[in-house]
Amino acid sequence: MSTQAADVPHRMCIIGVQTNSVLSLSADEKYVYSGSQGDDVLVWDKSTFSLKTTLRGHTGSVLALEYASERKWLFSASGDSTIRVWSTETHAPLFILHPHFDTDAGDLFSLAWSSSSSTLYFGCQNTSLQWFTFLPNLGHPPHQQGAPTHQQVLDKALQEAGIASGTATPRRVHKFFDSYPQYTRKPADLEARNPTASSSPSPGLTTPATGGTCLLQPNVQIPLAIIQIPPKNVIWSAHYGYVYCMALSPSIREGSDDQGGIGSSLRLVTGSGDATVKVWDVNSAVPSLQHTFDCGEGAVLAVVVRGDTVYAGCQDGYVKVLDLETRTLVRTIIVNENIDILSLSMLQSDLYTCSANGQVQRFSATFDLTASWPAHSGIILSSIITHVKLSSGKGGRGKAVLVTGANDDFIKIWDIDPPPKKQPDIEELQRIGPESQPDLSDDILVYALSKFISIPSVSGCLSYREHCRQAAIWLRKCLSQLGAEASLLPTGDTTNPLVLATFRGTQNKRKARRVLVYGHYDVIPASPKGWSSDPFTLYALNGYLYGRGVTDNKGPIMAIACAAAALLRRRALDVDLVMLIEGEEEAGSKHFAQTVKQHKETIGPIDAILVSNSTWISESTPCITYGLRGVVHCQVKISSGGPDLHSGVDGGAAREPMMDIMKLLGTLVDDQQKVTIPSFYDDVRPLTAEERQLFKVLSGVTQTPASSLSAKWREPSLTIHEIEVSGPKNSTVIPSTVQARLSLRIVPDQDVEEICASLQDHLKSKFGDMQSRNTLEINISHTADWWLGNLDDPWFAALESAIRDEWGVEPLRIREGGSIPSVPYLEKEFSCHALHLPMGQSTDQAHLPNERMSLCNLQKGQAVVERFLTSVKDL
């Protein structure tokens, strides 16, 4: 994909590194650090991009750099099998870390620092994962009277590492990893100096301690101590290949995950030459493996983590996008086929990929290529994103820049801009819970809904799939902040996850009732045409909120969640409210049933189901829905088996598929549009006197004939939606293939499987009567059963009473002509009754331009749910 020149970042500066490949990069507030193939760490001043100093001591290539901001430390890992720790304030060496003595670790490829645990993790050539935890005061002089001396802190650290103070063990030479004679080798480590001599490093030429056998480099300062990793800090064969890269992912979730996701508060992600990405729980003394992703595209050479998403740069030019919580592959980005990706960097939601052909490419949050440019004339080996101040003014982080290093001996600095902030940042957890808003008022509802609406979670469309995933992640975080235990349930690699959230009621001797709320966070597309405002920006006008999904179904979801949160805050929630929100409802609820079955034990027992996914039949009178029709979707295709023909050449001689399908479809209904499929009406329930009276009342409210209401709500029907043809669709072509899409709406007590069979038998029989040379294909693409609520159920009475008490009027009992496949399924799966609470008005324009919902209805909908949940605790 090509990009406009304006999309290509401007190059701010080029730094030459004197015939040394730039293997690693890091940065702090003042400096950029580059690790070279020539053993040194070069320190570059951010304000002038000039060389400030050189950190010497390594005797092998500097393969990885990591900055610990709270310690003001820089870690450097090298091919000499050591890690050196430097002060970024004085640029003096502090410590040397050796891998465990018996591991013969080889090159140290990757580093990751955890500030919360003061632990450094590193990945080795010998496939091991190792780590070391520093004490809080290590490396810093004591500031308080009576505090332990620096030497005491140091001695304790060495003791924890299994090393006696003032001693160190030289690293053994490995027959495979070290390919030069031992007697000519420069030191990979420096013997510890006498710890009693001084508390600060001494500059200049150093000499080894007694017993040392290694040669020394000039101008190398002596570190405070040499630390060797103890055997308890080693995971042998963490991968089946070199551990090339790693990154830490702090999780925002609280607690553990019982749904199979990864619920730790801190996770380490490692990538390897074995083509896998592994996720480790690092909240205990020893990391434990949580999950392994098989990338299947060669070695994983770079990883970067953002929120719950891992981007893995692989050999052969692929980036694998992995979801940590659902443990699924979200997307494969083809950057440059057969060209290795050696470094990845992120600025907010923008991903920058650096490849072996010297190319840098930028991808948006939806994985669209937004910029591409030749950055280097060689292989790009490293990259970071940092900030530089363009003036001497104080305050602020400064301008974002991308820094790239390559084997063309150059470091380049690129001026980049963050992506436009159209929707909520994945990492930006919106603080909308009781912790930051003591009064859980209506403003919380509107604020949360505005964030929810801003995510264009259009299902069934590949280009919006990542938006749907982001909507699920945001909703899970939002519900967690409102007080629920929330997680994501994966439904498959190509479908959107379910959001499962449980608001736990007050625990007492009696087992709490459990109410399951079903809804959906996906929406249908919203073309700007016909809208008076941006469909994905919540817009308020004259008491109404406008936006795609505001009434179907994001508004009701947030109203129910805020109702539970309000009761929870008042310690008045005496039932468990379980929210099960899917992301494929508008696209046929793919894999919904399978996922619910798989996680049924996690969801737990359910006493009643609450749905709010429809509207009233009027503007002013609240309603309660007690019935939905079912649906059968079918495609009928007739083909000649040959090519499209010209009507001027073959018209009259050819048996035209269009003629056949028109005649065949005509056999489905009579002149009064009654369905003519045999036995179609045999199981339809007759209209009762009570229903007839109800339709008479509703007719007066809606000014619609009662017969029309009955036809729309409780009688079956057939609709032909469209006819598609092959060829160029002009008036001279006889199409060789014609396909019609039709649907049947079914009602109690029709059986969906019997209706499907009858439809297919009828079409095949009538087509056979035509004796056509063409062929017929029938495909039942989707079915949903009808649903009818129990008007005598105490749960129904409780909901009806809650509506009456909040609105001050008797709610209308209505049915719907549409279908919600998940409602009858959930009833059968959990063996309980469902209730349907419509919140919106008849003019809400669901699925249409200017979709809206009354703010009053939204607020009162929340209040109705609060009343209902309070009243059912004793049922």
Side-chain angles (χ1 to χ4, degrees), residues 781-835:
S781 59
H782 176 67
T783 64
D785 212 345
W786 50 266
W787 168 74
L788 194 64
N790 183 358
L791 302 183
D792 298 323
D793 184 58
W795 291 87
F796 182 90
L799 181 59
E800 195 170 40
S801 177
I803 299 171
R804 182 190 308 113
D805 292 344
E806 182 61 34
W807 286 95
V809 296
E810 193 71 28
L812 300 174
R813 296 180 174 183
I814 64 172
R815 290 170 69 166
E816 288 280 346
S819 308
I820 304 178
S822 301
V823 173
Y825 164 73
L826 290 171
E827 269 197 336
K828 295 174 183 177
E829 188 66 38
F830 290 98
S831 302
C832 62
H833 291 145
L835 310 163

Side-chain angles (χ1 to χ4, degrees), residues 516-531:
L516 174 68
V517 173
Y518 166 80
H520 64 94
Y521 62 82
D522 62 316
V523 299
I524 68 163
S527 170
K529 185 178 180 180
W531 285 80

Side-chain angles (χ1 to χ4, degrees), residues 159-175:
Q159 183 180 3
E160 296 236 349
I163 304 169
S165 177
T167 67
T169 306
R171 174 182 173 272
R172 295 184 300 182
V173 175
H174 191 273
K175 295 179 181 179

Side-chain angles (χ1 to χ4, degrees), residues 435-585:
E435 295 86 352
S436 62
Q437 293 276 1
D439 181 16
L440 235 165
S441 64
D442 298 325
D443 290 340
I444 297 298
L445 172 58
V446 175
Y447 174 76
L449 183 57
S450 70
K451 298 298 180 184
F452 204 8
I453 293 296
S454 70
I455 308 176
S457 49
V458 178
S459 60
C461 182
L462 180 62
S463 60
Y464 284 93
R465 188 188 300 168
E466 178 62 12
H467 290 296
C468 289
R469 193 177 72 93
Q470 291 184 22
I473 292 172
W474 182 89
L475 181 59
R476 188 262 292 166
K477 292 176 180 177
C478 174
L479 296 177
S480 294
Q481 286 300 304
L482 288 173
E485 300 168 6
S487 62
L488 300 184
L489 305 181
T491 61
D493 287 344
T494 61
T495 49
N496 302 317
L498 299 178
V499 180
L500 175 64
T502 302
F503 291 88
R504 302 249 179 227
T506 303
Q507 303 298 313
N508 50 43
K509 294 182 179 179
R510 181 177 176 179
K511 187 177 181 181
R513 291 292 196 177
R514 306 188 86 244
V515 179
L516 174 68
V517 173
Y518 166 80
H520 64 94
Y521 62 82
D522 62 316
V523 299
I524 68 163
S527 170
K529 185 178 180 180
W531 285 80
S532 301
S533 59
D534 181 353
F536 295 107
T537 299
L538 193 67
Y539 176 68
L541 180 66
N542 297 330
Y544 286 90
L545 303 175
Y546 290 82
R548 174 58 83 223
V550 68
T551 192
D552 182 20
N553 183 233
K554 294 181 177 181
I557 288 173
M558 295 314 306
I560 294 172
C562 286
L567 291 174
L568 197 63
R569 181 179 65 88
R570 300 198 301 265
R571 306 295 188 268
L573 183 63
D574 295 314
V575 300
D576 289 349
L577 186 75
V578 182
M579 300 190 73
L580 189 62
I581 314 300
E582 70 159 313
E584 294 282 344
E585 195 271 349

